[in-house]
C-alpha cells in the first residue's frame, strides 16, 4: 500500500500517540516539520479522512481537550503500512529535482555580474537556513528528531561547501579573462 510523504508523516505521528487534527498541527509546528514536509494546516483533516477511508486509522474514542474533536490512532493495518512505508523511504534512493540544477544548466544565459549576485544570494540564504535549523534543533529531542535536523544540516552544509568552491572557481575564471 503506497503512502504519500504527507500521509506517512501523519500516520507516523499517530503511531507515536493518538491525536486529533489540531494536535497534529501543533506537533508539526513544534518540531519544525514544515522544513521537510508539505503538509498545510488545511490539508491535515483531508489526509486524516483519506487514511481513515483506507482503514489505516480509526477514531480511538479517547476524549479530546477543548471542542468535540475526533482523536485518531492507527489500526493494525496502519501500523504495518507505516512501518513498511518508512522502511521504503529510508532504504530507497529517489531522484530529487532541485530548481537550482535547472538554473545552473542555463547559467550561460545570465550576465556574469548577475550570476555572481544570484550565487551570493544563495550563499546568504544557505547561511540563514543553517542558522535557523541550528537554533530550532534541541539536544534533548528524541534521536529520530535529532537525526532529521542533522540530515538537513548536513545537506545544507554540503551545498554551502560546494557553493563556496564553485564561486571560487568562477572568480578564478573571471580573473583569467
Amino acid at each position: 500500500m503506497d503512502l504519500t510523504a504527507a500521509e506517512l508523516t501523519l500516520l507516523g505521528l499517530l503511531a507515536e500517540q493518538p491525536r486529533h487534527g489540531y494536535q497534529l498541527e501543533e506537533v508539526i509546528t513544534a518540531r519544525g516539520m514544515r522544513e521537510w514536509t508539505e503538509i498545510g494546516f488545511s490539508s491535515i483533516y483531508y489526509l486524516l479522512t483519506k487514511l481513515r477511508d483506507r482503514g489505516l486509522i480509526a477514531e480511538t474514542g479517547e476524549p479530546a481537550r477543548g471542542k468535540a474533536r475526533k482523536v485518531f490512532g492507527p489500526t493494525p493495518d496502519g501500523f504495518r503500512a507505516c512501518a513498511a512505508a518508512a522502511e521504503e523511504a529510508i532504504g530507497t534512493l529517489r531522484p530529487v529535482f532541485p530548481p537550482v540544477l535547472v538554473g545552473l544548466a542555463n547559467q550561460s544565459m545570465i550576465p556574469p555580474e548577475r550570476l555572481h549576485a544570484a550565487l551570493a544570494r544563495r550563499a546568504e540564504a544557505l547561511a540563514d537556513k543553517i542558522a535557523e535549523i541550528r537554533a530550532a534543533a534541541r539536544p534533548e529531542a528524541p534521536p529520530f528528531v535529532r537525526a532529521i535536523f542533522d540530515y538537513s544540516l548536513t545537506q545544507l552544509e554540503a551545498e554551502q561547501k560546494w557553493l563556496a568552491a564553485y564561486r571560487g572557481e568562477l572568480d578564478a575564471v573571471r580573473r583569467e579573462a
Side-chain angles (χ1 to χ4, degrees):
M1 180 177 295
D2 288 336
L3 294 172
T4 66
E7 291 168 339
L8 176 56
T9 299
L10 290 187
L11 188 56
L13 290 173
L14 294 174
E16 287 178 11
Q17 72 180 57
R19 294 180 165 105
H20 57 71
Y22 188 73
Q23 288 171 317
L24 289 166
E25 169 63 18
E26 289 175 332
V27 172
I28 288 167
T29 300
R31 291 187 187 172
M33 295 171 80
R34 291 235 161 64
E35 293 297 319
W36 50 268
T37 62
E38 295 181 305
I39 301 174
F41 178 70
S42 61
S43 64
I44 290 174
Y45 292 96
Y46 168 75
L47 291 168
L48 288 173
T49 300
K50 281 181 63 178
L51 291 168
R52 185 198 63 209
D53 291 350
R54 292 172 67 186
L56 299 177
I57 64 171
E59 286 185 53
T60 63
E62 293 182 25
R65 63 181 161 92
K67 300 177 184 175
R69 295 183 168 122
K70 296 177 182 176
V71 175
F72 292 96
T75 63
D77 284 345
F79 277 109
R80 285 189 291 277
C82 184
E87 183 179 352
E88 177 71 15
I90 291 169
T92 303
L93 187 61
R94 289 190 172 80
V96 180
F97 305 104
V100 67
L101 297 181
V102 177
L104 289 170
N106 292 285
Q107 68 182 297
S108 64
M109 304 303 297
I110 307 170
E113 65 281 353
R114 292 190 58 161
L115 175 60
H116 181 75
L119 293 170
R121 286 192 311 272
R122 188 168 191 89
E124 185 176 333
L126 280 168
D128 291 347
K129 182 55 77 176
I130 288 169
E132 181 183 318
I133 291 174
R134 282 192 178 131
R138 300 282 178 255
E140 71 279 1
F144 71 94
V145 173
R146 288 194 317 267
I148 293 165
F149 282 102
D150 291 346
Y151 180 85
S152 297
L153 278 172
T154 301
Q155 284 195 312
L156 291 168
E157 289 166 346
E159 182 174 346
Q160 191 176 47
K161 181 179 175 183
W162 167 84
L163 185 56
Y166 187 62
R167 289 175 72 193
E169 186 180 315
L170 288 178
D171 287 343
V173 169
R174 282 196 334 194
R175 283 192 300 273
E176 290 175 8

